Amino acid sequence: MKQASNERTLTKAEMEIMNILWTHDEGAMEKGMTTHEIIEQYPEPQPAYSTIATFLKILTTKGFIRSQKQESSGKTFYFFPLITREAYTNRVMKEVKTTLFKGSFKSMLSFFVEQEKVSEEDLREILEVIKK
C-alpha cells in the first residue's frame, strides 16, 4: 500500500467518491462498496461506469482507497477508504493554515468569521468548544 495520501489532495471528482465511501462506512472502514453501489449514490444524471472506474483506479494509485475482490462475488471488486474523513480534513486544514495564513490559526479563524458572517449563536458555540 502506498502512503501517497499523506502528500496528495483530492480533486473535486475524487472528493465526491470519497464522500460516498466515507458516508457509507461511517465509523468503520471494513464495509466496502462496489462501483455500481457508488454510482447509485450519485444524483441524476449519474456518471458512466467507466468514469467512476477510472477515478477509483486513480484513488487506489494515490493511496486513498484499496480494492478487494470478495470470494463470493466473482469478478466484483469492493472499495474501501484508507483514510478517514476526519484525518483528511485535518491534513487539508493544516495545509490551508500553513499555505494561506502563514501558519496563523488566529488569521485563519478571523478570515472565516469575517467571510462567513458568523452568527452570535455560532460564536457562542465556538467559544464553548475553545473553552473545552
Side-chain angles (χ1 to χ4, degrees):
M1 172 178 68
K2 294 183 179 184
Q3 292 299 322
S5 63
N6 290 335
E7 304 161 9
R8 298 194 178 163
T9 56
L10 297 166
T11 66
K12 184 178 178 181
E14 293 164 353
M15 181 65 92
E16 288 180 39
I17 292 172
M18 290 303 295
N19 277 325
I20 290 169
L21 290 169
W22 285 327
T23 300
H24 180 72
D25 282 352
E26 292 293 314
M29 287 202 247
E30 63 258 0
K31 189 177 179 190
M33 294 180 79
T34 66
T35 305
H36 288 292
E37 290 171 332
I38 292 168
I39 292 168
E40 287 173 7
Q41 296 301 310
Y42 272 83
E44 294 295 335
Q46 293 177 330
Y49 182 94
S50 60
T51 301
I52 297 304
T54 299
F55 280 115
L56 290 169
K57 190 175 200 176
I58 291 167
L59 287 165
T60 301
T61 301
K62 284 184 166 185
F64 284 103
I65 65 173
R66 71 178 174 85
S67 62
Q68 179 178 331
K69 198 185 306 186
Q70 302 288 347
E71 288 181 27
S72 62
S73 64
K75 297 179 183 180
T76 304
F77 280 90
Y78 287 80
F79 297 90
F80 304 83
L82 291 174
I83 185 171
T84 64
R85 183 191 318 257
E86 181 179 7
Y88 181 74
T89 301
N90 188 33
R91 185 166 52 84
V92 169
M93 292 308 295
K94 282 182 180 180
E95 186 177 321
V96 166
K97 182 180 79 170
T98 301
T99 306
L100 299 176
F101 299 100
K102 299 180 183 172
S104 170
F105 177 74
K106 177 183 160 191
S107 294
M108 185 173 81
L109 186 59
S110 296
F111 172 82
F112 285 112
V113 168
E114 291 170 12
Q115 293 299 312
E116 295 297 319
K117 309 292 187 248
V118 179
S119 71
E120 285 187 38
E121 182 181 334
D122 285 346
L123 283 173
R124 278 193 286 276
E125 289 178 21
I126 291 168
L127 287 172
E128 285 300 316
V129 169
I130 291 170
K131 288 177 184 177
K132 291 179 184 179

